[in-house]
Amino acid sequence: VAGKNAQLRTDGSFISRVRLKLGKNNIKIRAIDINDNAQDVEFYVIREEFFEETEFVDVDFPPELKAKNPNGVAVVFGIEEYQYAPSVSYAYNDADIFREYLVSVFGISRENIYFRTNDRATKGEFEKVFSKNGWISKNSTENADLFVFYAGHGAPDLRTKQTYLIPYDIDPNYATTGYALNELYKNLGQLDVNSITVLLDACFTGISRDNQPLLADSRPIYISAEEIQVPKNTIVFNAASGVEISSAYTSKMHGLFTYFVLKGLNGYADRDINRQITIKEMQEYLLENVSAQARKMGREQRPQILGIEQDRVLLQY
């Protein structure tokens, strides 16, 4: 099995443990009898779960709340491995665990979550989901609470300072071929939904989580992108402000921002202990804790909030 001998039982059955990498795994089984006759069978297994259970950390077990949100809709993109760019440490784990929070904490049906990672998170998928008549518009109603989560690279256009999300198959040196944040917010603003919450564990400085430059033949210079406006019923949580980078939290196997978002959703952001977390409470919690941990790493990272509905209840538990 996969090039290694398997233990054969007396009844002819066998079992073999095969380590699976993330993504598609081709597995070949060869059976040989006492006369040296051989027969091969080949198949493949796609692995989507990234970590062994023993490698999980505190926030990777979402609380089981009784919330039900039949009108909830979500899009989750997590891109750790890129075709033309450095990897984004723990971005797959960020997306995978946040999806579980959407189900267990926010009560969104799993079938109402559009989930794509790594080589499946292409530019075509972004357009399919966010376009005017795309997946979101076809699957949401006027009562819908929409969540958008993205963990991956962001990049600016050096000339215009416009900001772009970078799908798997886009080269950040050509940022304008990515998915523009202005376009994202424009399309979200045309939706007839109850609320929109966007969480971006990315920065737009041209630097990766591991302090690697995304742009070829350049020193790690920090590019300040232009501020953008978001629709009136939309709240955006950005992992970092201005020229700061979005860091990895290696000991927790998450992005620093995502880790404290998940920690906050476990009740830590409920400052007045009234069993509900407002947008303002979450922002204050993130600003305090992300900034403090970033300083311990020798970095500056201050999460940013965009939008006017800061008294909106993000979570009631």
Side-chain angles (χ1 to χ4, degrees), residues 131-284:
S131 65
K132 185 176 180 180
N133 295 307
W135 183 88
I136 294 176
S137 64
K138 292 180 183 297
N139 288 274
S140 57
T141 67
E142 61 182 10
N143 297 317
D145 295 308
L146 170 63
F147 290 82
V148 176
F149 177 87
Y150 174 81
H153 284 313
D157 177 60
L158 294 174
R159 183 177 59 84
T160 66
K161 303 297 189 296
Q162 298 267 333
T163 48
Y164 296 82
L165 302 178
I166 304 298
Y168 164 81
D169 54 342
I170 294 300
D171 187 337
N173 289 282
Y174 304 91
T176 56
T177 62
Y179 202 87
L181 278 184
N182 279 330
E183 183 72 13
L184 172 65
Y185 297 138
K186 174 185 174 183
N187 291 341
L188 292 179
Q190 294 174 351
L191 296 171
D192 183 17
V193 295
N194 180 53
S195 69
I196 301 172
T197 305
V198 180
L199 300 102
L200 302 177
D201 198 339
C203 61
F204 302 91
T205 60
I207 304 295
S208 76
R209 283 184 179 181
D210 299 315
N211 210 33
Q212 297 297 313
L214 303 186
L215 310 181
D217 301 321
S218 71
R219 294 177 293 111
I221 54 177
Y222 298 88
I223 305 159
S224 180
E226 287 186 350
E227 294 289 340
I228 55 179
Q229 300 297 317
V230 300
K232 61 180 180 179
N233 65 338
T234 301
I235 288 291
V236 177
F237 290 97
N238 284 325
S241 303
V243 296
E244 301 165 351
I245 67 173
S246 175
S247 304
Y249 196 174
T250 301
S251 64
K252 301 298 185 180
M253 297 182 292
H254 279 290
L256 179 60
F257 168 78
T258 296
Y259 173 79
F260 281 108
V261 167
L262 301 178
K263 191 84 170 175
L265 292 174
N266 276 271
Y268 288 86
D270 185 6
R271 295 299 181 91
D272 54 8
I273 320 177
N274 65 347
R275 300 193 63 79
Q276 65 180 24
I277 299 170
T278 65
I279 298 294
K280 184 177 181 180
E281 283 180 310
M282 177 61 83
Q283 173 62 5
E284 290 175 349

